[in-house]
Amino acid sequence: MECRKLIDKLNREKHLDFPEWVALWSNYSDDDRLYAGELARSIALKHYGKNVYIRGIVEFSNRCGNDCFYCGIRRSNDKVQRYTLSDDVILDCCETGYQNGIRTFVLQSGEAVELDLEHLCDLVRSIKSRFDDCAVTLSLGELSFDEYASLRQAGADRYLLRHETADKVHYGKMHPKSMSLENRMECLRNLKKLGFQTGCGIMTGSPFQSAETLAQDMLFMESLQPEMMGIGPFIPHKDTPFAKFSAGTLESTLMAVSLCRIMLEKALLPSTTALGALQSNGRELGILAGANVIMPNLTPPDAQDNYILYENKKRADVPVLQAVADLQSRLDVIGYTFYTGRGDFGA
Ligand code: 5AD
């Protein structure tokens, strides 16, 4: 079947079979991508209008026990200066975000470190009580069911945990043996069970990715029905084993965003920072291809310098007020505007 027909079928049935996904991923042309982009944009418009949801991310710790082959803050990169922000600094970051209209705070850190669960729960409770009209999203990696349950009980609303790839062999080529795809998927299912708005996701153009692994990703996302999907290009980092691989392309990232929007119409889909790192107007193009979320960085600049996951992840060197204003004027150009509510799934 030609690609356009496959895109139409996906739109009608919200499902393609494995061989159809493989055919689509291996054969689409620029025209097909633009076709998918238009369709995805009209679906996003239908559900969200020209509103872009805004989340403030606080990269509160770069300590990491994992050694993912692609990531700049992997455990064995000893050029990174490790930090953990104090609760006071984290709350200040949220305050600055709040004053700039942000009503979702995303707390992100490295993964697989000894964590003080009670302390984290207290932090979530403090944020939720101080900013009672805000949502808290966590992105801390793989934890046990009970740990997730405590965080949920403390008031966390959403959780981001990219699955990275749904193909077991591919997963094994991007991660050390100590990590397993089964556990990551189990975590995602647990998060859903606990009522978190849950986000999975992938890097487009990651080393060893293929039409087949992308087909697996689409089928996994169809079965998980995540509320959010984080899709950004892989970008090499010089101090990782994947330093010599080339970056994912803008085009394939936009295609992936569009197909996710067509398959899971109401999903919250960020136009990622990595997309903006590939090309200066990358995030606007992401919105036009069906994304509906942008995540300005609230992390203090000196900490951001040590949270470099990939090359060219520049620190935001302007104050949050100006960063938000700059983003708004970029959105003005394409006729979109920041939506300053919590921006929950399906709301
Ligand atoms: N390029 C792009 N994205 C990356 N991430 C980690 N390293 C890189 C890289 N080199 C992404 C992973 C992770 C998220 C927090 O950042 O997908 O889940």
Side-chain angles (χ1 to χ4, degrees):
M1 212 190 290
E2 58 184 87
C3 290
R4 246 171 227 229
K5 293 221 172 92
L6 290 170
I7 294 166
D8 288 336
K9 181 174 178 197
L10 174 66
N11 189 31
R12 256 190 340 267
E13 301 181 14
K14 306 298 165 195
H15 169 83
L16 292 180
D17 296 328
F18 183 77
E20 293 174 321
W21 275 122
V22 174
L24 181 53
W25 279 116
S26 17
N27 297 320
Y28 74 89
S29 64
D30 270 350
D31 279 352
D32 298 324
R33 174 175 59 78
L34 294 174
Y35 180 76
E38 294 273 319
L39 186 56
R41 189 199 313 184
S42 70
I43 294 171
L45 262 176
K46 178 171 79 185
H47 295 292
Y48 295 106
K50 292 203 167 181
N51 295 314
V52 174
Y53 290 177
I54 173 173
R55 313 340 190 158
I57 181 158
V58 184
E59 297 156 337
F60 73 93
S61 173
N62 65 356
R63 295 183 200 283
C64 194
N66 281 342
D67 224 7
C68 308
F69 301 154
Y70 44 85
C71 185
I73 62 166
R74 64 200 302 266
R75 184 184 62 212
S76 20
N77 184 2
D78 51 22
K79 294 195 182 149
V80 174
Q81 238 181 303
R82 303 290 165 173
Y83 70 84
T84 301
L85 302 181
S86 70
D87 291 358
D88 283 347
V89 171
I90 297 170
L91 283 160
D92 282 350
C93 295
C94 296
E95 179 65 43
T96 308
Y98 193 88
Q99 284 166 9
N100 287 283
I102 291 175
R103 295 293 179 269
T104 291
F105 305 117
V106 182
L107 302 188
Q108 191 177 74
S109 66
E111 302 190 11
V113 284
E114 282 287 310
L115 89 172
D116 184 341
L117 189 67
E118 254 331 288
H119 181 175
L120 261 175
C121 289
D122 283 342
L123 177 64
V124 171
R125 276 187 286 265
S126 319
I127 297 176
K128 293 288 291 190
S129 67
R130 177 145 154 206
F131 309 101
D132 65 357
D133 55 344
C134 291
V136 169
T137 304
L138 299 175
S139 181
L140 324 169
E142 300 171 34
L143 305 176
S144 70
F145 184 90
D146 290 345
E147 288 170 319
Y148 286 146
S150 307
L151 291 163
R152 178 89 183 105
Q153 192 114 47
D157 304 277
R158 311 186 191 130
Y159 203 101
L160 303 176
L161 182 72
R162 289 194 182 171
H163 63 287
E164 314 296 357
T165 174
D167 182 284
K168 210 174 151 190
V169 174
H170 186 208
Y171 193 90
K173 291 181 180 170
M174 297 209 287
H175 302 97
K177 289 215 162 44
S178 54
M179 294 176 68
S180 87
L181 178 60
E182 288 81 34
N183 193 55
R184 206 140 180 108
M185 289 179 162
E186 177 68 11
C187 285
L188 284 163
R189 284 187 280 266
N190 286 342
L191 289 163
K192 288 278 289 183
K193 254 185 237 158
L194 288 162
F196 280 101
Q197 292 170 49
T198 302
C200 62
I202 60 165
M203 296 176 287
T204 45
S206 61
F208 313 110
Q209 188 175 67
S210 65
E212 284 76 15
T213 66
L214 285 164
Q216 300 266 42
D217 288 319
M218 300 311 292
L219 290 174
F220 171 66
M221 294 195 277
E222 185 200 340
S223 74
L224 181 70
Q225 294 283 313
E227 284 77 18
M228 309 178 277
M229 287 169 283
I231 313 286
F234 160 74
I235 302 176
H237 184 294
K238 63 178 174 24
D239 302 316
T240 64
F242 284 173
K244 296 262 147 49
F245 284 90
S246 42
T249 62
L250 183 79
E251 288 76 15
S252 64
T253 308
L254 296 175
M255 183 63 168
V257 167
S258 299
L259 294 175
C260 286
R261 167 66 66 215
I262 297 169
M263 182 171 77
L264 296 177
E265 290 205 352
K266 290 191 179 171
L268 300 164
L269 278 174
S271 195
T272 51
T273 312
L275 200 48
L278 269 194
Q279 188 168 308
S280 67
N281 65 343
R283 283 186 297 184
E284 292 92 296
L285 295 176
I287 297 297
L288 294 174
N292 72 320
V293 174
I294 287 188
M295 298 166 67
N297 202 330
L298 302 177
T299 314
D302 53 333
Q304 282 185 43
D305 285 343
N306 281 301
Y307 206 90
I308 307 289
L309 307 182
Y310 46 84
E311 241 42 78
N312 216 8
K313 182 175 175 293
K314 292 204 190 73
R315 65 143 89 179
D317 45 14
V318 295
V320 176
L321 175 67
Q322 198 184 329
V324 171
D326 288 351
L327 273 172
Q328 179 59 69
S329 56
R330 284 169 171 274
L331 291 179
D332 283 343
V333 174
I334 57 169
Y336 283 68
T337 180
F338 272 134
Y339 173 83
T340 52
R342 279 173 50 126
D344 285 291
F345 175 80

